[in-house]
Structure formats: C-alpha cells, structure tokens
Amino acid sequence: MPIIKSARKRVKTAAKANQRNYKTKRSMREAVKAFTKALSGGNAKTIGEAERAAVSAIDLAAKKAVIHKNKAAREKARLSARAKAAGAKPLKQTAKPAAKKPVAKKSSAKKPAAKKPAKK
C-alpha cells in the first residue's frame, strides 16, 4: 500500500474503475456469446435481435473506452458478416436527428467608440 495520500486514493479509484470496466467487458462478451448461440439456432429473427444487442454492447464498451474504437468496428463487421452468411437481414441504421445549435443573437446596433482623451 502506498504511503503518499494521493497515491492511496489512486489505488482506490483504479480499483473502482477496474471493476466498472470488467462489468462492461463481461456484458459485451455475454452479448457476443448469445449472438453465437443464436447463429447455431438458425432463426433469422433471433439472430437479428442478438446481433442488435451485441452491437449495442460493443458500442457501449467503445464509448466508455474499455475497448478501442477500431476493435469495436472490426468486431461489429465480423458480427454482421456472420449474420449475413446465416441468412439474417442486415440491421437498419436509424438516423439520429441533428442537434439544434443555439442561435447567437446578433445586435444590429453597435456601441459607440470610446473617446480618447486629448493629448496636451
């Protein structure tokens, strides 16, 4: 155990983060295993639902930086290729609505320039 107070705190924080990351990674693996099991079943609807759950779990892990974004993309591509080979329909991408940007109000009237004092 570290002696320095800040190092002791980092040990506790790292342990909490490790547990959080473990849970995220575990749920991702379980979703991928469920997808693999659905593939062996052969039902197209079940495969689609399992693929959707697995892709969601992979995206969440990538968002939380538990896995790298390129690994997430690679895993999702592999899942979709396996689902397509099994005869399941591809997932439909739903477009997210664009976030509205707040409009900055522009005042048409300019402030008068400050007058400089006359030099003597």
Side-chain angles (χ1 to χ4, degrees), residues 1-14:
M1 187 75 177
I3 297 170
I4 299 170
K5 188 176 182 179
S6 61
R8 275 189 255 152
K9 184 177 179 183
R10 289 305 308 158
V11 168
K12 289 179 185 178
T13 307

Side-chain angles (χ1 to χ4, degrees), residues 21-34:
N21 292 344
Y22 177 79
K23 287 179 182 178
T24 305
K25 204 170 208 177
R26 171 63 29 211
S27 65
M28 181 189 74
R29 286 186 192 139
E30 286 173 358
V32 172
K33 285 179 185 178

Side-chain angles (χ1 to χ4, degrees), residues 34-57:
F35 170 75
T36 306
K37 191 173 183 180
L39 277 178
S40 63
N43 186 358
K45 186 176 180 181
T46 310
I47 292 171
E49 290 172 0
E51 183 187 5
R52 190 179 319 276
V55 167
S56 177

